């Protein structure tokens, strides 16, 4: 009700707010008295000094009064401790592209974009098959020199362990390996070859015997 430009409802709420604030101060004053005495007795085993008691009661009364004043609602939707607009919030800026917040579905006029085709774009180039022969012990002795120990052969070319390591590292994403064994292949070379292909994650087929 508004009389002579004064909202009676706001006035009543304001008076109630003042009364509640005073009540909060009184409660804070009396509650802090036994609380302070009890805490001080537990800590010092002595009576609480008058100055300390007065300070804690004053602080308690003022703190509770301030809390009641801030938290009490104000008439006419005043500057209470609210945190922004109510349900619905501020209108969106998306225009026709906005979605219905209540249902989570696109607005009627919104344009639904088709899903993009996520085709796998990885390189599907087939791997090059490579046969790596573990040479025979007689061939090993024939080709061996003071600074070179060829254990393997690729397309007729002899490779030492280090040379094969370099070759596999450079071509690991492009080849698949088929180990080739003969009757007289060096058994140690077989183990070393398997370790190298596993090291570089190279697809290795079953051993081929000749």
């Amino acid at each position: 009700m508004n009389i002579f430009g004064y909202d009676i409802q706001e006035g009543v709420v304001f008076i109630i707010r003042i009364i509640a604030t005073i009540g909060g101060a009184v409660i804070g004053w009396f509650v802090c008295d036994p609380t302070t005495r009890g805490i001080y007795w537990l800590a010092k085993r002595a009576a609480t000094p008058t100055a300390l008691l007065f300070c804690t009661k004053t602080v308690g009364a003022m703190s509770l009064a301030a809390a009641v004043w801030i938290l009490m609602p104000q008439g006419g939707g005043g500057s209470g401790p609210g945190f922004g607009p109510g349900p619905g919030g501020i209108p969106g800026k998306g225009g026709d592209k906005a979605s219905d917040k209540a249902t989570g579905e696109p607005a009627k006029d919104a344009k639904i974009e088709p899903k993009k085709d996520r085709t796998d774009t990885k390189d599907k180039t087939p791997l090059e098959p490579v046969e790596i022969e573990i040479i025979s012990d007689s061939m090993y002795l024939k080709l061996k020199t003071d600074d070179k120990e060829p254990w393997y052969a690729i397309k007729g070319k002899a490779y030492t362990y280090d040379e094969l390591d370099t070759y596999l590292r450079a071509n690991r994403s492009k080849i698949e390996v088929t180990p080739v064994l003969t009757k007289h292949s060096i058994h140690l070379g077989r183990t070393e070859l398997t370790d190298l292909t596993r090291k570089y994650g190279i697809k290795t087929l079953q051993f081929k015997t000749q």
Side-chain angles (χ1 to χ4, degrees):
M1 182 181 295
N2 192 297
I3 300 178
F4 303 113
Y6 181 75
D7 193 332
I8 293 180
Q9 184 179 359
E10 289 187 8
V12 172
V13 173
F14 183 73
I15 293 173
I16 294 174
R17 194 175 179 205
I18 292 177
I19 294 173
T21 301
I22 295 174
V26 173
I27 292 173
W29 176 272
F30 284 104
V31 168
C32 284
D33 185 288
T35 303
T36 305
R37 292 178 187 274
I39 294 174
Y40 193 86
W41 172 258
L42 291 175
K44 300 291 186 180
R45 298 294 179 180
T48 307
T50 303
L52 176 61
L53 187 61
F54 177 79
C55 289
T56 55
K57 290 168 67 175
T58 302
V59 172
M62 292 176 64
S63 300
L64 188 55
V68 172
W69 177 265
I70 294 173
L71 297 176
M72 277 289 292
Q74 300 183 30
S79 58
F83 295 99
I90 300 173
K93 298 180 181 180
D96 292 340
K97 296 182 181 179
S99 62
D100 187 341
K101 293 184 179 179
T103 63
E105 298 178 353
K108 293 181 179 180
D109 296 334
K111 295 181 180 179
I112 301 176
E113 297 182 359
K115 294 182 179 180
K116 295 181 179 179
D117 182 14
R118 297 184 177 179
T119 306
D120 189 1
T121 57
K122 291 184 179 180
D123 184 10
K124 295 184 178 180
T125 304
L127 298 175
E128 176 188 353
V130 175
E131 292 188 352
I132 301 179
E133 179 184 348
I134 302 171
I135 65 176
S136 63
D137 49 2
S138 59
M139 182 64 68
Y140 172 81
L141 294 174
K142 180 179 179 181
L143 298 175
K144 182 179 181 301
T145 62
D146 292 339
D147 58 346
K148 200 167 188 179
E149 295 182 347
W151 289 4
Y152 311 96
I154 301 176
K155 298 178 181 180
K157 180 182 177 181
Y159 284 76
T160 65
Y161 176 85
D162 292 336
E163 289 172 343
L164 182 64
D165 185 294
T166 302
Y167 173 82
L168 293 177
R169 183 172 63 251
N171 296 277
R172 56 186 170 185
S173 62
K174 300 181 291 185
I175 63 173
E176 64 179 16
V177 170
T178 299
V180 178
L181 291 174
T182 64
K183 292 182 179 180
H184 304 288
S185 290
I186 303 173
H187 293 289
L188 181 60
R190 175 178 178 174
T191 304
E192 297 289 346
L193 175 57
T194 304
D195 291 343
L196 281 177
T197 55
R198 187 183 297 114
K199 173 183 176 182
Y200 294 116
I202 299 173
K203 182 179 179 181
T204 306
L205 305 180
Q206 292 183 349
F207 278 80
K208 176 180 178 182
T209 58
Q210 292 181 347

